[in-house]
Coordinates of all heavy atoms in Angstrom, one line a residue:
D1 N 6.7 11.4 -2.9 CA 7.7 10.3 -3.0 C 8.5 10.3 -1.7 O 8.8 9.2 -1.1 CB 8.6 10.5 -4.2 CG 7.9 10.2 -5.5 OD1 6.9 9.5 -5.4 OD2 8.4 10.6 -6.5
A2 N 8.9 11.5 -1.2 CA 9.7 11.5 0.0 C 8.9 11.0 1.2 O 9.4 10.3 2.1 CB 10.2 13.0 0.3
R3 N 7.6 11.4 1.2 CA 6.8 11.0 2.4 C 6.5 9.5 2.3 O 6.5 8.8 3.3 CB 5.4 11.7 2.3 CG 4.6 11.5 3.5 CD 3.5 12.5 3.6 NE 2.7 12.2 4.7 CZ 1.4 12.6 4.9 NH1 0.9 13.3 4.0 NH2 0.8 12.2 6.0
A4 N 6.3 8.9 1.1 CA 6.2 7.5 1.0 C 7.4 6.7 1.4 O 7.4 5.7 2.0 CB 5.8 7.1 -0.5
A5 N 8.6 7.3 1.0 CA 9.8 6.6 1.4 C 10.0 6.7 2.9 O 10.5 5.7 3.6 CB 11.0 7.3 0.7
E6 N 9.6 7.8 3.5 CA 9.7 7.9 5.0 C 8.7 7.0 5.7 O 9.1 6.3 6.7 CB 9.4 9.4 5.4 CG 9.4 9.6 6.9 CD 9.0 11.0 7.2 OE1 9.2 12.0 6.4 OE2 8.4 11.2 8.3
E7 N 7.5 6.9 5.2 CA 6.5 6.0 5.8 C 6.9 4.6 5.6 O 6.5 3.7 6.4 CB 5.1 6.3 5.3 CG 4.6 7.7 5.6 CD 4.3 7.8 7.1 OE1 3.8 6.8 7.7 OE2 4.5 8.9 7.6
G8 N 7.6 4.2 4.5 CA 7.9 2.8 4.2 C 9.2 2.4 4.7 O 9.7 1.3 4.4
S9 N 9.9 3.2 5.5 CA 11.2 2.9 6.0 C 11.1 1.8 7.1 O 10.0 1.6 7.7 CB 11.9 4.1 6.6 OG 11.3 4.5 7.8
R10 N 12.2 1.0 7.3 CA 12.1 -0.1 8.2 C 11.9 0.5 9.7 O 11.1 -0.2 10.4 CB 13.5 -0.8 8.2 CG 13.6 -1.7 7.0 CD 15.0 -2.4 7.1 NE 15.1 -3.2 5.9 CZ 15.1 -4.5 6.0 NH1 15.1 -5.1 7.1 NH2 15.3 -5.2 4.9
V11 N 12.4 1.6 10.0 CA 12.3 2.1 11.3 C 10.8 2.5 11.6 O 10.2 2.1 12.6 CB 13.2 3.4 11.5 CG1 12.9 4.0 12.9 CG2 14.6 3.0 11.4
R12 N 10.2 3.1 10.6 CA 8.8 3.5 10.7 C 7.8 2.3 10.8 O 6.9 2.2 11.6 CB 8.4 4.4 9.5 CG 7.0 4.9 9.5 CD 6.8 6.0 10.5 NE 5.4 6.5 10.4 CZ 4.7 6.9 11.4 NH1 5.1 6.9 12.6 NH2 3.4 7.3 11.2
L13 N 8.1 1.3 9.9 CA 7.3 0.1 9.9 C 7.5 -0.7 11.1 O 6.5 -1.3 11.6 CB 7.7 -0.8 8.6 CG 7.2 -0.2 7.3 CD1 7.7 -1.1 6.2 CD2 5.7 0.1 7.2
A14 N 8.7 -0.7 11.7 CA 8.9 -1.4 13.0 C 8.1 -0.8 14.1 O 7.6 -1.5 14.9 CB 10.4 -1.4 13.3
A15 N 8.1 0.6 14.1 CA 7.3 1.3 15.1 C 5.8 0.9 15.0 O 5.1 0.7 16.0 CB 7.5 2.8 15.0
I16 N 5.3 0.9 13.8 CA 3.9 0.6 13.5 C 3.6 -0.9 13.9 O 2.6 -1.2 14.6 CB 3.5 0.8 12.0 CG1 3.6 2.3 11.7 CG2 2.1 0.2 11.7 CD1 3.4 2.6 10.3
A17 N 4.5 -1.8 13.6 CA 4.4 -3.2 14.0 C 4.4 -3.4 15.5 O 3.6 -4.2 16.0 CB 5.5 -4.1 13.3
K18 N 5.2 -2.6 16.2 CA 5.3 -2.7 17.6 C 4.0 -2.2 18.2 O 3.4 -2.8 19.2 CB 6.5 -2.0 18.1 CG 6.7 -2.1 19.6 CD 8.0 -1.5 20.0 CE 8.3 -1.7 21.5 NZ 9.5 -1.1 22.0
R19 N 3.5 -1.1 17.7 CA 2.3 -0.5 18.2 C 1.1 -1.5 18.0 O 0.2 -1.6 18.8 CB 2.0 0.8 17.5 CG 0.8 1.6 18.1 CD 0.6 2.9 17.4 NE 0.0 2.6 16.1 CZ 0.3 3.3 15.0 NH1 1.3 4.2 15.0 NH2 -0.2 3.0 13.8
L20 N 1.1 -2.2 16.9 CA 0.0 -3.1 16.6 C 0.2 -4.5 17.1 O -0.6 -5.4 16.9 CB -0.2 -3.2 15.1 CG -0.7 -1.9 14.4 CD1 -0.8 -2.1 12.9 CD2 -2.1 -1.5 14.9
D21 N 1.3 -4.7 17.8 CA 1.7 -5.9 18.5 C 1.9 -7.0 17.4 O 1.4 -8.2 17.6 CB 0.7 -6.4 19.5 CG 1.3 -7.4 20.5 OD1 2.6 -7.4 20.6 OD2 0.5 -8.2 21.0
L22 N 2.6 -6.7 16.3 CA 2.9 -7.7 15.3 C 4.3 -8.2 15.5 O 5.2 -7.5 15.9 CB 2.8 -7.0 13.9 CG 1.4 -6.5 13.5 CD1 1.5 -5.8 12.1 CD2 0.4 -7.6 13.4
R23 N 4.5 -9.5 15.2 CA 5.8 -10.1 15.3 C 6.0 -11.0 14.1 O 5.0 -11.5 13.5 CB 6.0 -10.7 16.6 CG 5.0 -11.8 16.9 CD 5.3 -12.3 18.4 NE 4.4 -13.4 18.7 CZ 3.1 -13.2 19.1 NH1 2.7 -12.0 19.3 NH2 2.4 -14.2 19.3
P24 N 7.2 -11.4 13.8 CA 7.4 -12.4 12.7 C 6.7 -13.7 13.0 O 6.5 -14.1 14.1 CB 8.9 -12.5 12.7 CG 9.5 -11.4 13.4 CD 8.4 -11.0 14.4
A25 N 6.4 -14.4 11.9 CA 5.7 -15.7 12.0 C 6.7 -16.7 12.6 O 7.9 -16.7 12.3 CB 5.2 -16.1 10.7
D26 N 6.1 -17.6 13.4 CA 6.9 -18.7 14.0 C 7.1 -19.8 12.8 O 6.1 -20.1 12.2 CB 6.1 -19.3 15.1 CG 6.9 -20.4 15.8 OD1 8.1 -20.5 15.6 OD2 6.3 -21.2 16.6
P27 N 8.3 -20.2 12.6 CA 8.5 -21.2 11.5 C 7.7 -22.4 11.7 O 7.3 -23.1 10.7 CB 10.0 -21.5 11.5 CG 10.6 -20.3 12.2 CD 9.6 -19.8 13.2
G28 N 7.3 -22.8 12.9 CA 6.5 -24.0 13.1 C 5.1 -23.8 12.7 O 4.3 -24.8 12.6
Q29 N 4.6 -22.6 12.5 CA 3.3 -22.3 12.2 C 3.0 -22.2 10.7 O 1.9 -22.1 10.2 CB 2.8 -21.0 12.8 CG 2.7 -21.1 14.3 CD 2.3 -19.7 14.9 OE1 2.5 -18.7 14.3 NE2 1.8 -19.8 16.1
I30 N 4.1 -22.3 9.9 CA 4.0 -22.1 8.4 C 3.6 -23.5 7.9 O 4.1 -24.5 8.2 CB 5.3 -21.7 7.8 CG1 5.6 -20.3 8.3 CG2 5.2 -21.7 6.3 CD1 7.0 -19.8 7.9
V31 N 2.5 -23.5 7.1 CA 2.0 -24.7 6.5 C 2.2 -24.6 5.0 O 1.9 -23.7 4.3 CB 0.5 -24.8 6.7 CG1 -0.1 -26.1 6.0 CG2 0.2 -24.8 8.2
M32 N 2.8 -25.7 4.4 CA 3.1 -25.8 3.0 C 2.0 -26.6 2.4 O 1.8 -27.8 2.8 CB 4.5 -26.4 2.7 CG 5.6 -25.6 3.3 SD 5.8 -24.0 2.5 CE 6.3 -24.4 0.9
I33 N 1.3 -26.1 1.4 CA 0.3 -26.8 0.7 C 0.9 -27.4 -0.6 O 1.5 -26.7 -1.4 CB -0.9 -25.9 0.4 CG1 -1.5 -25.4 1.6 CG2 -2.0 -26.7 -0.4 CD1 -2.6 -24.4 1.4
P34 N 0.7 -28.7 -0.8 CA 1.3 -29.3 -2.0 C 0.7 -28.7 -3.3 O -0.5 -28.4 -3.3 CB 1.0 -30.8 -1.9 CG 0.4 -31.0 -0.6 CD 0.1 -29.6 0.0
P35 N 1.5 -28.5 -4.3 CA 0.9 -27.9 -5.6 C -0.2 -28.7 -6.2 O -1.1 -28.2 -6.8 CB 2.1 -27.9 -6.5 CG 3.3 -28.0 -5.7 CD 2.9 -28.7 -4.4
S36 N -0.2 -30.0 -5.9 CA -1.3 -30.8 -6.5 C -2.7 -30.5 -5.9 O -3.7 -30.7 -6.5 CB -1.0 -32.3 -6.2 OG -0.9 -32.6 -4.8
L37 N -2.7 -29.9 -4.6 CA -3.9 -29.5 -4.0 C -4.4 -28.1 -4.4 O -5.5 -27.8 -4.4 CB -3.9 -29.7 -2.5 CG -3.7 -31.1 -1.9 CD1 -3.6 -31.0 -0.4 CD2 -4.9 -31.9 -2.3
V38 N -3.4 -27.3 -4.7 CA -3.7 -25.9 -5.0 C -4.4 -25.8 -6.4 O -5.4 -25.1 -6.5 CB -2.4 -25.0 -5.0 CG1 -2.7 -23.6 -5.5 CG2 -1.8 -25.0 -3.6
A39 N -3.8 -26.5 -7.4 CA -4.4 -26.4 -8.7 C -4.8 -27.8 -9.2 O -4.0 -28.4 -9.9 CB -3.5 -25.7 -9.6
L40 N -5.9 -28.3 -8.7 CA -6.3 -29.6 -9.1 C -6.8 -29.6 -10.5 O -7.5 -28.7 -10.9 CB -7.4 -30.1 -8.2 CG -7.0 -30.6 -6.8 CD1 -8.3 -30.9 -6.0 CD2 -6.1 -31.7 -6.8
S41 N -6.3 -30.6 -11.3 CA -6.8 -30.7 -12.6 C -7.5 -32.1 -12.7 O -7.1 -33.0 -12.0 CB -5.6 -30.6 -13.6 OG -4.7 -31.6 -13.4
P42 N -8.5 -32.2 -13.5 CA -9.1 -33.5 -13.6 C -8.2 -34.5 -14.1 O -7.3 -34.3 -14.9 CB -10.2 -33.2 -14.6 CG -10.0 -31.9 -15.2 CD -9.0 -31.2 -14.4
T43 N -8.3 -35.7 -13.5 CA -7.4 -36.8 -13.8 C -7.6 -37.3 -15.2 O -6.6 -37.5 -15.9 CB -7.6 -38.0 -12.8 OG1 -8.9 -38.4 -12.9 CG2 -7.1 -37.6 -11.4
S44 N -8.8 -37.4 -15.7 CA -9.0 -37.7 -17.1 C -9.8 -36.5 -17.7 O -10.9 -36.2 -17.3 CB -9.9 -39.0 -17.2 OG -11.1 -38.8 -16.5

């Protein structure tokens, strides 16, 4: 439990993200899919 808490801390995750060259998503790149397309149900 202690090891999992240590590995899951923000500092540790930030170091891993930096090493893997990860960064937060650009808000302009987020695509919203309308719910009508996600779960299409037959019209009749």
Side-chain angles (χ1 to χ4, degrees):
D1 286 343
R3 189 166 177 199
E6 178 185 327
E7 294 291 324
S9 69
R10 288 180 178 248
V11 174
R12 180 77 174 142
L13 291 177
I16 293 172
K18 188 174 183 179
R19 188 180 72 222
L20 295 174
D21 197 28
L22 297 175
R23 58 183 182 276
D26 184 19
Q29 293 176 339
I30 297 175
V31 177
M32 296 296 290
I33 299 175
S36 62
L37 292 178
V38 174
L40 285 177
S41 60
T43 54
S44 60

